Amino acid sequence: MSFVRAFVRLGCCTATIASLAVPAYSADKKPMEKAAVAEATPSYYGPQPATENIDLTMYSRIRDEGFKHSHVMEFGSALSDGIGPRLTGSPNMAKANQWTCDTLTKIGLENAHLEDWGEFGMGWQQINAWARMVSPDPEPLWMQAAPWSPSTNGPVTGEAVYVDLQSEKDLDKFKGKLAGKIVLLGAMRSSPDVVEPPFHR
């Protein structure tokens, strides 16, 4: 069985909360202090006009540009379908960088070019990753190589063992017992039967 560690990607969402400090002053402040506060107060805190002057021509131009001249789907397809995943340091990342430079030049930007941003390290690309159970009955396994994981020297076969590590001290009880084994790490997760579509439109 050829084995490479399983990789699980967790999506993380960061929420940013902005708070606006509204300056206030009391009625007993001196006129100079009131003037200083008013001068430091941004204009958008002031009273809004009763009637907004809407430039309908500009709104129409924006809509026309979005509906008739947009390249969003073309660009999205070029990156997603034409190039694919773009791990930092991978060949696909280099393709995406060059595509961006060429596309910006093609649409009329001047001096579009690539610049180094510093040292990163070793690049990585997954060529092939597969695994299958060979006993008691053959069974294909679905897996994904973790980025920057080393390759095996051809197919390897061994007994698969699960190691439950909660702390560094737990390593002591497995010392000398894992040679030649395919070690499974991480929390056990249930895999219930799929009886409903993953999502509904």
Side-chain angles (χ1 to χ4, degrees):
M1 179 190 326
S2 178
F3 176 77
V4 184
R5 287 182 298 138
F7 170 63
V8 177
R9 176 175 295 167
L10 299 176
C12 295
C13 177
T14 303
T16 303
I17 301 174
S19 61
L20 299 175
V22 180
Y25 55 88
S26 62
D28 60 350
K29 294 264 185 173
K30 296 178 182 178
M32 287 297 293
E33 293 176 352
K34 289 183 179 181
V37 171
E39 187 176 330
T41 302
S43 61
Y44 49 78
Y45 283 133
Q48 298 299 307
T51 304
E52 185 179 0
N53 184 19
I54 299 176
D55 187 345
L56 295 177
T57 301
M58 182 56 69
Y59 274 89
S60 178
R61 289 178 60 189
I62 293 172
R63 288 193 186 97
D64 185 71
E65 192 68 28
F67 287 125
K68 297 180 181 178
H69 308 289
S70 174
H71 296 278
V72 169
M73 297 306 293
E74 175 190 343
F75 293 164
S77 176
L79 287 170
S80 300
D81 304 326
I83 296 175
R86 302 175 294 281
L87 181 72
T88 302
S90 68
N92 277 5
M93 188 73 230
K95 289 180 187 176
N97 289 342
Q98 191 59 53
W99 175 89
T100 303
C101 184
D102 295 343
T103 301
L104 292 176
T105 301
K106 186 170 69 174
I107 63 177
L109 274 70
E110 296 180 0
N111 194 29
H113 61 279
L114 301 177
E115 292 184 358
D116 291 332
W117 54 268
E119 295 294 330
F120 176 74
M122 181 177 62
W124 189 88
Q125 181 183 27
Q126 176 174 282
I127 303 299
N128 182 36
W130 61 270
R132 64 188 177 98
M133 184 173 72
V134 294
S135 66
D137 289 304
E139 182 73 28
L141 301 177
W142 182 45
M143 61 170 293
Q144 170 72 36
W148 295 289
S149 58
S151 62
T152 60
N153 186 20
V156 295
T157 304
E159 179 187 358
V161 296
Y162 172 67
V163 175
D164 184 15
L165 299 177
Q166 301 298 326
S167 67
E168 191 174 339
K169 294 179 180 178
D170 293 337
L171 289 170
D172 295 336
K173 58 186 176 185
F174 295 104
K175 189 173 182 179
K177 300 178 180 178
L178 300 177
K181 309 285 187 184
I182 296 173
V183 179
L184 306 178
L185 299 171
M188 290 281 193
R189 290 183 297 275
S190 60
S191 53
D193 293 333
V194 179
V195 295
E196 290 288 335
F199 65 91
H200 297 272
R201 294 188 183 277

